[in-house]
Amino acid sequence: MSQFTLVAMGGTFDIIHKGHLTLLAKAFSISSDVIIGLTSDELAEKRGKKTLNNYEKRFVTLTNTIKTNFPNQHFQISKLDNDFGPAVLEENVQALVVSDETGNQGEILNQLRKEKNLSPVKIVIVPMVLAHDGNRISTTRIKNLEIDTDGNVSSID
């Protein structure tokens, strides 16, 4: 029996890595249904992120990753054009799954939900996944060839 019937989470998911899989695993472990906000190309650009993959490619990769790693899970991917997407408007969302890096987003979300006369959501914070060098796994580090998607440190020839 799941702890929640509907949780939300979000991300850019440009290069899916162990940290993303940990967030997804937590979301699927506590809920029978997960809404995943996928950052639009426009929002990524507005935030100063240079993605390797466009929205459509990231959507397909994320969908395939979930179907492979979390078979038979019920999920929906929603395009994020702002910080919260459906988590602000969807009355039935009960929790927001975030990394400890983005944990403060939960307070902001609950304030926005309060303004819309919606119940607050529980904030579920998932600790950052560390690479083998003790620093966090991030898409930026992977793009810079410091680590791979599992957090293994790249060897320098």
Side-chain angles (χ1 to χ4, degrees):
M1 184 74 188
S2 298
Q3 190 177 349
F4 302 103
T5 53
L6 182 63
V7 301
M9 60 174 288
T12 306
F13 298 97
D14 190 23
I15 299 172
I16 295 180
H17 54 69
K18 195 173 184 178
H20 292 128
L21 294 174
T22 301
L23 274 174
L24 289 163
K26 183 63 174 180
F28 288 125
S29 75
I30 61 172
S31 183
S32 53
D33 198 0
V34 178
I35 295 177
I36 303 158
L38 181 60
T39 305
S40 69
D41 292 336
E42 298 77 17
L43 182 58
E45 190 177 318
K46 192 167 102 178
R47 288 182 175 165
K49 291 187 176 189
K50 301 207 180 319
T51 58
L52 294 177
N53 301 293
N54 66 20
Y55 178 86
E56 290 72 25
K57 173 90 169 109
R58 291 183 287 120
F59 182 94
V60 169
T61 302
L62 179 57
T63 300
N64 291 338
T65 297
I66 293 169
K67 287 180 177 176
T68 300
N69 292 280
F70 308 98
N72 306 317
Q73 294 290 344
H74 192 264
F75 68 96
Q76 155 193 342
I77 299 174
S78 176
K79 190 178 219 177
L80 272 185
D81 291 310
N82 59 52
D83 285 339
F84 299 106
V88 174
L89 305 171
E90 177 56 56
E91 187 176 350
N92 299 324
V93 171
Q94 298 171 305
L96 179 68
V97 177
V98 294
S99 68
D100 49 16
E101 181 183 61
T102 57
N104 66 327
Q105 295 291 86
E107 295 168 29
I108 300 165
L109 170 63
N110 277 332
Q111 183 57 43
L112 293 170
R113 286 180 63 88
K114 184 178 180 181
E115 290 167 12
K116 296 187 181 317
N117 294 318
L118 296 173
S119 323
V121 298
K122 175 128 173 69
I123 308 307
V124 178
I125 298 176
V126 179
M128 296 295 290
V129 177
L130 300 181
H132 295 286
D133 64 3
N135 295 314
R136 67 188 187 89
I137 295 176
S138 72
T139 300
T140 301
R141 293 190 69 206
I142 295 165
K143 286 180 190 173
N144 290 342
L145 305 178
E146 294 173 40
I147 57 172
D148 66 15
T149 57
D150 288 322
N152 297 306
V153 179
S154 300
S155 59
I156 299 171
D157 295 326

